[in-house]
């Protein structure tokens, strides 16, 4: 069997620490991956004079699977997000963000198990047509949704629900106000839902969905939504299970997938050995499932559950006293 090669982008800020932790864990369970390291973002700018070098794009394309640390994006001004560029470049149309509560964390509720399926390339978040007038007094941006794009993501969500034995898909929208874009998304979601009579279909306006997630999250199973709403809702979901350190994300396209933590580069704790590597470990588990290596994924998930629930060497965001390296060591000992 040919050895699976993984493109690894260690990323900015806490990225290198948490990615190194995940790689040690993948190696420890005997994944036998070969890693091709590539730069993107600030690191690439320093090393190659550009944010997304051709070599990096070529490696992601060649291997088809990448594990990526967070990349810093300047707020308001400066370069556009490399994450958004990668999603567009490789048509990674589905962003799958599961959250699962573990005992012993700052999770707000027990037994949370929600997957947000976010359209990843269209809508307001895609950065289309961003203009600021010369005098700085007016700004505009475009949001575009296509029937094809909406159908692809909603079908993806229902297929995922079926594959994972899930019971319900909730389409989250703002079609009462954004009648064109969100309206088209909802219309398509309703049509697709009818093709899946074995799965309960629900719909909810996004502002209500935020409130319902905080008050009664157990009513949600799989949520499917447009790009910007998915970005915000999935962070809200991360808050329900103990914070951003607990939330992974898979960006999936037709022939390429990039796995990452939902959180950013956390400049406030970068270089301090304080980052919780759980989200990138969970992203590695998603990667193993994508590669049909579920037995190894299960082993890592069981070790993670044990470390977190026993509180053995957990990080500060989880209420512990330890750093990234101790947490990783606790994982390695269990594996
Ligand atoms: N996928 C990505 O690459 C991605 C995602 C979001 C933000 N960003 C970028 O990251 C930079 C910083 O953004 P931000 O500060 O708004 O969000 P952030 O997610 O980096 O941090 C938010 C808060 O959560 C904490 N945190 C995040 N990850 C943690 C972890 N693993 N362990 C413990 N605590 C953790 C941080 O310390 C901070 O207090 C920005 O440039 C932003 O554009 C990148």
């Amino acid at each position: 069997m040919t050895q699976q090669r993984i493109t690894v982008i260690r990323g900015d800020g806490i990225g290198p620490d948490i990615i190194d932790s995940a790689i040690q864990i993948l190696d420890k369970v005997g994944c036998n991956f070969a890693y091709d390291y590539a730069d993107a973002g600030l690191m690439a700018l320093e090393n190659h004079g550009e944010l997304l070098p051709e070599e990096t794009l070529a490696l992601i394309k060649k291997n088809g699977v990448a594990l990526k640390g967070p990349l810093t994006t300047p707020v308001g001004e400066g370069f556009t997000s490399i994450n958004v560029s990668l999603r567009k470049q490789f048509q990674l149309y589905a962003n799958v963000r599961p959250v699962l509560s573990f005992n012993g964390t700052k999770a707000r509720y027990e037994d949370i198990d929600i997957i947000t399926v976010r359209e990843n390339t269209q809508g307001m978040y895609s950065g289309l047509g961003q203009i600021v007038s010369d005098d700085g007094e007016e700004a505009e941006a475009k949001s575009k949704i296509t029937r094809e794009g909406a159908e692809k993501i909603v079908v993806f969500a229902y297929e995922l629900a079926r594959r994972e034995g899930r019971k319900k898909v909730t389409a989250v929208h703002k079609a009462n106000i954004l009648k064109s874009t969100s309206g088209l998304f909802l219309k398509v979601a309703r049509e697709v839902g009818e093709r899946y009579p074995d799965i309960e279909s629900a719909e909810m306006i996004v502002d209500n969905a935020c409130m319902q997630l905080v008050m009664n999250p157990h009513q949600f199973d799989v949520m499917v939504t447009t790009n910007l709403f998915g970005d915000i809702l999935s962070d809200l979901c991360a808050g329900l299970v103990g914070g951003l350190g607990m939330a992974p994300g898979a960006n999936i396209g037709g022939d390429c997938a990039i796995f990452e933590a939902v959180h950013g580069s956390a400049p406030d704790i970068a270089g301090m050995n304080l980052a919780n590597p759980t989200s990138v470990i969970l992203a590695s588990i998603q990667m193993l499932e994508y590669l049909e290596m579920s037995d190894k994924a299960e082993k890592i998930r069981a070790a993670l559950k044990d470390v977190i629930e026993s509180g053995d060497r957990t990080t500060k965001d989880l209420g512990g006293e330890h750093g990234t390296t101790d947490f990783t060591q606790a994982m390695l000992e269990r594996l």
Side-chain angles (χ1 to χ4, degrees):
M1 210 176 95
T2 51
Q3 190 180 27
Q4 175 71 48
R5 302 194 77 84
I6 310 281
T7 305
V8 179
I9 298 170
R10 292 169 83 229
D12 301 318
I14 59 171
D17 288 354
I18 59 174
I19 289 283
D20 292 352
S21 165
I23 301 248
Q24 287 180 62
I25 289 163
L26 289 168
D27 287 346
K28 182 76 183 186
V29 289
C31 287
N32 192 30
F33 294 141
Y35 303 105
D36 290 315
Y37 285 85
D39 287 335
L42 294 180
M43 190 63 79
L45 196 60
E46 265 171 41
N47 293 344
H48 312 269
E50 54 183 335
L51 290 157
L52 199 47
E54 267 312 312
E55 301 99 279
T56 300
L57 294 174
L59 272 178
I60 296 174
K61 188 162 184 228
K62 178 169 80 78
N63 295 333
V65 180
L67 185 63
K68 186 184 88 46
L71 301 172
T72 297
T73 308
V75 175
E77 296 170 339
F79 59 82
T80 47
S81 164
I82 304 303
N83 298 308
V84 174
S85 306
L86 282 170
R87 290 166 191 166
K88 279 192 192 157
Q89 175 92 21
F90 293 103
Q91 279 302 301
L92 306 172
Y93 67 93
N95 192 333
V96 184
R97 295 182 161 190
V99 289
L100 195 62
S101 53
F102 291 93
N103 295 331
T105 62
K106 291 179 182 160
R108 295 289 189 271
Y109 296 90
E110 285 177 8
D111 302 324
I112 301 276
D113 183 0
I114 303 171
I115 303 179
T116 304
V117 177
R118 160 190 176 192
E119 202 294 320
N120 220 10
T121 56
Q122 304 192 333
M124 190 44 91
Y125 196 98
S126 68
L128 199 67
Q130 299 207 65
I131 301 171
V132 181
S133 64
D134 290 342
D135 61 5
E137 294 298 315
E138 276 183 28
E140 61 182 67
K142 257 192 193 167
S143 175
K144 183 173 173 179
I145 301 280
T146 64
R147 168 171 281 278
E148 190 193 358
E151 180 154 355
K152 255 169 110 173
I153 196 67
V154 180
V155 167
F156 184 98
Y158 276 92
E159 287 295 325
L160 178 143
R162 217 175 235 178
R163 209 168 48 244
E164 299 204 357
R166 302 257 171 179
K167 305 263 177 299
K168 180 175 171 187
V169 173
T170 305
V172 181
H173 64 90
K174 188 75 188 175
N176 52 329
I177 304 296
L178 305 173
K179 292 187 195 285
S180 58
T181 47
S182 231
L184 176 58
F185 176 79
L186 180 61
K187 188 168 186 285
V188 173
R190 284 176 178 162
E191 287 168 13
V192 172
E194 283 179 12
R195 292 185 228 150
Y196 293 84
D198 51 319
I199 293 167
E200 183 187 342
S201 296
E203 55 188 66
M204 201 176 278
I205 295 174
V206 63
D207 33 346
N208 182 30
C210 290
M211 192 269 288
Q212 295 288 341
L213 275 165
V214 174
M215 301 286 288
N216 178 18
H218 296 110
Q219 68 185 289
F220 295 95
D221 190 346
V222 175
M223 287 191 293
V224 62
T225 190
T226 44
N227 205 341
L228 180 61
F229 298 159
D231 184 51
I232 297 166
L233 284 171
S234 55
D235 268 31
L236 195 162
C237 289
L240 291 176
V241 298
L244 284 169
M246 306 298 294
N251 300 279
I252 299 183
D255 43 24
C256 183
I258 301 181
F259 298 85
E260 62 182 349
V262 163
H263 61 71
S265 52
D268 53 335
I269 57 166
M272 295 162 80
N273 189 30
L274 287 177
N276 174 6
T278 300
S279 43
V280 104
I281 296 171
L282 288 167
S284 310
I285 291 174
Q286 284 186 295
M287 180 175 83
L288 292 175
E289 283 166 348
Y290 177 82
L291 293 169
E292 296 179 356
M293 297 169 74
S294 300
D295 53 331
K296 299 211 171 358
E298 260 328 301
K299 272 190 195 155
I300 298 177
R301 190 181 279 117
L304 191 61
K305 186 169 157 56
D306 195 47
V307 169
I308 293 175
E309 297 194 347
S310 66
D312 176 16
R313 286 167 277 179
T314 49
T315 47
K316 289 215 163 98
D317 59 312
L318 296 174
E321 289 296 320
H322 292 263
T324 320
T325 44
D326 287 349
F327 185 102
T328 308
Q329 191 53 37
M331 283 291 296
L332 295 174
E333 284 169 21
R334 278 164 178 80
L335 293 165

